[in-house]
Amino acid sequence: MTISVDFTQPLTNDYVKEETFFQSLPLLEIKNLSISSLGENKKEDIKLVKNINFTIKSGEMLGIVGESGSGKSLTACALVGLLPKSLKVTEGQIKLHGRELLNLSEKEMRRLRGNEIAYIFQNYQGSFTPFIKIGNQLIEALRSHRKISKLDAKKKVLIWLERVKLPANQVFTSYPYQLSGGQLQRAALAAALMFQPFLIVADEPTTALDVLTSENILDLLVELQKEYNCAVLLISHNLNHVLKRTDSIAVMYGGQIVERGLTNEIRKNPIHPYTKLLLQARPVLSRVVPEKLVVIPGEPGLVAEQGCAFALRCPKSFKKCSILPKMQSVGDSQWVACHAADLEADYTNASS
Amino acid sequence: MLQVEKVSKSYRSTSVLTEVTFQMEQGESLGLIGESGSGKSTMAKLIVGLEHLDGGQITLNGLDFQQLRGAELRKARRHVQVVFQDPWASLNPKLPVWKSIIEPLENYPDVVPSFLKGVRNDKRKMAEILLEKVGLDRDFLERYPHQLSGGQRQRVGIARGIGLQPNLLICDEPTSSLDVSIQAQILNLLKELKKEFNMSYLFISHDMASVQYMCDRIAVFKQGVLVDLFLSKDLFSDTRHPYTKMLVQATVER
């Protein structure tokens, strides 16, 4: 059976989103969020994410950077209610459109996931069941969230496969193994976007992909995000990707946000020593190649239990760093948690 | 030192490398760059002699590995060592670090690298010296791979790679499994070691910026064809192959 689809027709929203009402509020607001692992007796054991705060507006792309184990993915998992059983949100609020997500039942959360918040995983093979054709999987996903006939669902799926620049008809009838990594990730993007969610959480979406493929996928994500004015939380350990595309950045170390603000500000004027070192330590294409790269001393995962998490690796640390620094604002659109913030800000230390 | 002449290789009917030709001098580092499936790693396997050529010739110090058999091949192979992408997979989980490090040296009892003169019979001492070369202290000798961080494990992998003082060290994506904060440490280490031992590096990567930092020359592979070969300093030249320009464009900051 073939269906002719008119790709030129504009897509209409399935249901009216009350954009105007919400515009004054941030779309997503995370306040004082802490996540702990539960030890024996279900008692709080180790604090993995500590008192983090950030907001995302509609149409904004926020990047979270930090090394493995810094709590980026945990934060994202908490956001969609997918934390493993051994972990628990112990404090704080997660509000979407002013509605507290942490109090929602599993059933309400399931309705919200996919529909209002979509998730794109690093592991694109895991996004699809290996023995069902892509098209049928997408139709099933669509029909589990919306009342829509099979025929309409098929039309919609084909339109979205086209939107993510895939050969729609061919991909529709393909099994996942018949597609390349980039194609699968595009299909996953289609699956996320066809619900026109308010927020897309993209957790290392291109880490497993090639350089050029990654660039194309991220460009596509930005393009569609702008078009549908949805918010994106981009989690990546690739600073280049994040610097290139996001509007704002949060830098995490040891479960804390150490610096956040507008991407351009942070690129030009990083203040926290960890942010500075992260920016300097990566090899950057340039006409003049440095003899030696700047390194961050110590090993990842070396987190101070008291005070500033980065203190043990920080070349600038001093006595006061054993007390946890408060988040303070620097300028209009940058916040940093560092006792030496005033000093550090004086060096206008642009990356590369 | 290394001559690669019109090398071709295909698996079944799929051609992976097509008439690839390049040379390398002693002490030079050459970067191989390209997407997955472009033939970079196959090239490395052919140089080490892990795969057979379908056409062409590869010679290292004038010796053709494909023609050598048995003891001679073994003897010749010690001049090429490999540092792998995944340090987890390259170390035996059941051996303490020091045993892993000196394993290659035990396989070639006659080889005495310059920096191990006088201690060639003291296995622990040799391991200690090699560990020191990669910036780890003697406390690590007795540890097992699972007790190390990714960066430390990669350092052990490098210590193992340089033990026989090879002419050519092949680094296959040595930093792509590591955190950003550790990448710089490992790249700096590799650069220092290269200077110290006058080794040649074949540096395989898909990250143009690391390759530019590490290498004197860069070879760009696309679908098994060597499309561009140039001095690193000419990376931004207008005469670059369009594909190279695309890769540069993708990496450069806007």
Side-chain angles (χ1 to χ4, degrees):
Chain A
M1 178 182 68
T2 50
I3 299 176
S4 63
V5 177
D6 182 9
F7 295 116
T8 52
Q9 236 172 36
L11 294 170
T12 47
N13 269 11
D14 303 53
Y15 60 111
V16 182
K17 289 176 182 171
E18 296 163 62
E19 294 283 347
T20 44
F21 173 75
F22 292 124
Q23 233 146 38
S24 52
L25 285 168
L27 172 72
L28 177 82
E29 197 174 9
I30 292 194
K31 258 191 190 167
N32 271 329
L33 183 74
S34 294
I35 302 172
S36 294
S37 70
L38 297 175
E40 284 171 43
N41 315 328
K42 300 246 164 185
K43 275 207 176 129
E44 196 180 315
D45 201 13
I46 307 164
K47 235 182 187 186
L48 298 169
V49 170
K50 299 161 196 163
N51 293 52
I52 62 168
N53 290 289
F54 64 83
T55 55
I56 310 181
K57 287 188 287 239
S58 286
E60 180 183 348
M61 190 183 263
L62 172 81
I64 300 189
V65 292
E67 57 198 24
S68 354
S70 60
K72 318 185 285 287
S73 292
L74 279 187
T75 308
C77 285
L79 192 63
V80 284
L82 287 176
L83 278 181
K85 284 232 163 61
S86 54
L87 304 177
K88 194 173 176 280
V89 174
T90 48
E91 251 182 286
Q93 299 172 317
I94 302 176
K95 284 184 175 170
L96 186 74
H97 283 152
R99 180 163 64 136
E100 176 62 59
L101 295 191
L102 290 171
N103 301 334
L104 293 186
S105 68
E106 182 52 36
K107 205 176 160 193
E108 289 171 305
M109 203 63 208
R110 202 176 304 153
R111 203 173 302 144
L112 183 122
R113 265 195 306 261
N115 224 350
E116 293 178 41
I117 304 180
Y119 207 105
I120 300 171
F121 297 93
Q122 171 176 1
N123 175 1
Y124 48 78
Q125 282 109 346
S127 313
F128 293 97
T129 310
F131 43 79
I132 302 176
K133 288 178 181 168
I134 298 281
N136 290 341
Q137 294 195 45
L138 292 178
I139 289 178
E140 190 190 319
L142 203 55
R143 277 169 53 93
S144 70
H145 278 290
R146 300 279 159 81
K147 281 203 174 114
I148 182 170
S149 76
K150 262 195 177 158
L151 202 68
D152 287 345
K154 179 169 185 180
K155 270 185 197 161
K156 190 161 172 160
V157 165
L158 283 172
I159 290 173
W160 274 100
L161 287 174
E162 189 86 357
R163 294 282 314 142
V164 295
K165 296 173 186 166
L166 284 171
N169 284 308
Q170 187 203 326
V171 169
F172 190 88
T173 52
S174 297
Y175 288 100
Y177 74 89
Q178 293 171 314
L179 304 182
S180 70
Q183 286 177 317
L184 272 180
Q185 199 61 298
R186 275 170 200 268
L189 199 59
L193 281 161
M194 64 184 184
F195 294 104
Q196 289 169 261
F198 299 117
L199 174 68
I200 297 177
V201 180
D203 189 355
E204 304 270 9
T206 62
T207 307
L209 300 173
D210 273 314
V211 195
L212 291 177
T213 320
S214 303
E215 293 293 323
N216 292 338
I217 297 264
L218 290 172
D219 282 341
L220 178 68
L221 180 63
V222 172
E223 187 188 318
L224 294 172
Q225 177 226 359
K226 294 272 176 284
E227 195 173 328
Y228 295 101
N229 197 37
C230 66
V232 176
L233 181 66
L234 177 69
I235 297 176
S236 178
H237 69 262
N238 188 328
L239 259 172
N240 293 341
H241 287 334
V242 172
L243 286 175
K244 224 186 223 182
R245 298 191 171 82
T246 54
D247 305 302
S248 50
I249 289 189
V251 183
M252 288 190 78
Y253 188 85
Q256 298 167 6
I257 291 181
V258 294
E259 185 163 3
R260 69 189 161 89
L262 290 181
T263 306
N264 274 335
E265 294 291 320
I266 289 186
R267 188 217 310 261
K268 272 188 244 141
N269 184 23
I271 291 172
H272 198 284
Y274 180 60
T275 318
K276 281 189 186 177
L277 287 169
L278 263 187
L279 286 169
Q280 290 164 356
R282 75 219 147 98
V284 175
L285 265 196
S286 64
R287 278 166 210 280
V288 190
V289 181
E291 186 51 37
K292 243 185 139 165
L293 294 170
V294 175
V295 298
I296 303 178
E299 291 287 329
L302 186 63
V303 175
E305 290 188 8
Q306 288 241 313
C308 173
F310 188 58
L312 297 176
R313 294 175 71 184
C314 182
K316 304 269 173 73
S317 79
F318 60 115
K319 219 174 161 187
K320 214 174 162 189
C321 296
S322 59
I323 307 165
L324 186 68
K326 283 211 176 74
M327 206 65 166
Q328 50 180 307
S329 69
V330 186
D332 300 333
S333 48
Q334 198 172 354
W335 291 264
V336 64
C338 177
H339 290 302
D342 306 337
L343 286 171
E344 292 295 306
D346 289 343
Y347 309 100
T348 34
N349 205 343
S351 76
S352 60
Chain B
M1 179 202 62
L2 178 74
Q3 296 258 3
V4 175
E5 275 285 322
K6 292 199 168 169
V7 165
S8 298
K9 171 81 189 167
S10 47
Y11 295 116
R12 294 204 188 127
S13 58
T14 325
S15 167
V16 219
L17 287 171
T18 319
E19 302 215 338
V20 174
T21 302
F22 63 88
Q23 285 89 35
M24 277 178 76
E25 303 295 326
Q26 187 61 47
E28 185 195 29
S29 57
L30 176 71
L32 297 192
I33 196 161
E35 309 231 305
S36 348
S38 61
K40 328 186 278 293
S41 293
T42 307
M43 195 65 243
K45 281 183 196 158
L46 291 172
I47 292 171
V48 191
L50 286 174
E51 299 260 7
H52 288 287
L53 302 182
D54 290 346
Q57 196 183 35
I58 298 176
T59 57
L60 186 78
N61 297 326
L63 294 172
D64 182 352
F65 280 22
Q66 306 282 330
Q67 305 295 325
L68 299 176
R69 291 286 175 271
E72 285 190 322
L73 177 61
R74 242 175 68 84
K75 213 174 132 195
R77 254 189 193 161
R78 81 153 178 103
H79 295 293
V80 196
Q81 295 292 318
V82 188
V83 174
F84 294 95
Q85 170 174 6
D86 181 3
W88 253 125
S90 52
L91 298 175
N92 184 340
K94 289 182 181 168
L95 290 185
V97 160
W98 72 273
K99 281 194 178 160
S100 279
I101 292 180
I102 58 157
E103 205 182 11
L105 285 155
E106 286 188 317
N107 289 338
Y108 294 93
D110 308 336
V111 177
V112 185
S114 59
F115 54 96
L116 294 175
K117 267 185 195 135
V119 294
R120 189 62 179 86
N121 294 318
D122 187 344
K123 291 177 184 174
R124 272 167 185 276
K125 189 74 195 161
M126 288 196 296
E128 199 182 316
I129 292 176
L130 281 166
L131 268 186
E132 193 200 310
K133 296 266 178 226
V134 295
L136 294 176
D137 61 39
R138 53 188 301 171
D139 296 346
F140 286 92
L141 286 174
E142 296 295 338
R143 293 209 200 165
Y144 288 86
H146 71 268
Q147 295 170 308
L148 307 176
S149 71
Q152 289 163 344
R153 243 179 264 135
Q154 193 58 292
R155 284 174 192 264
V156 172
I158 293 170
R160 205 179 127 101
I162 61 170
L164 289 165
Q165 213 175 4
N167 296 135
L168 176 64
L169 189 67
I170 298 181
C171 305
D172 193 352
E173 306 263 10
T175 60
S176 51
S177 68
L178 302 176
D179 254 316
V180 205
S181 63
I182 297 307
Q183 274 184 25
Q185 290 182 10
I186 297 292
L187 291 179
N188 280 345
L189 173 70
L190 283 170
K191 213 168 184 180
E192 279 161 27
L193 289 171
K194 173 176 171 281
K195 222 187 261 169
E196 186 176 344
F197 298 121
N198 192 32
M199 275 183 288
S200 303
Y201 282 170
L202 195 66
F203 190 88
I204 301 172
S205 177
H206 62 254
D207 176 27
M208 188 62 101
S210 319
V211 169
Q212 191 206 17
Y213 173 69
M214 288 298 298
C215 300
D216 308 314
R217 283 194 303 154
I218 300 173
V220 182
F221 280 76
K222 190 189 176 196
Q223 290 161 3
V225 182
L226 178 64
V227 292
D228 208 357
L229 178 65
F230 52 91
L231 290 172
S232 295
K233 66 175 171 60
D234 297 333
L235 181 59
F236 297 101
S237 155
D238 266 349
T239 53
R240 288 282 66 78
H241 188 276
Y243 184 66
T244 313
K245 284 183 183 164
M246 265 171 74
L247 287 174
V248 170
Q249 201 55 43
T251 321
V252 94
E253 287 183 13
R254 276 173 219 160

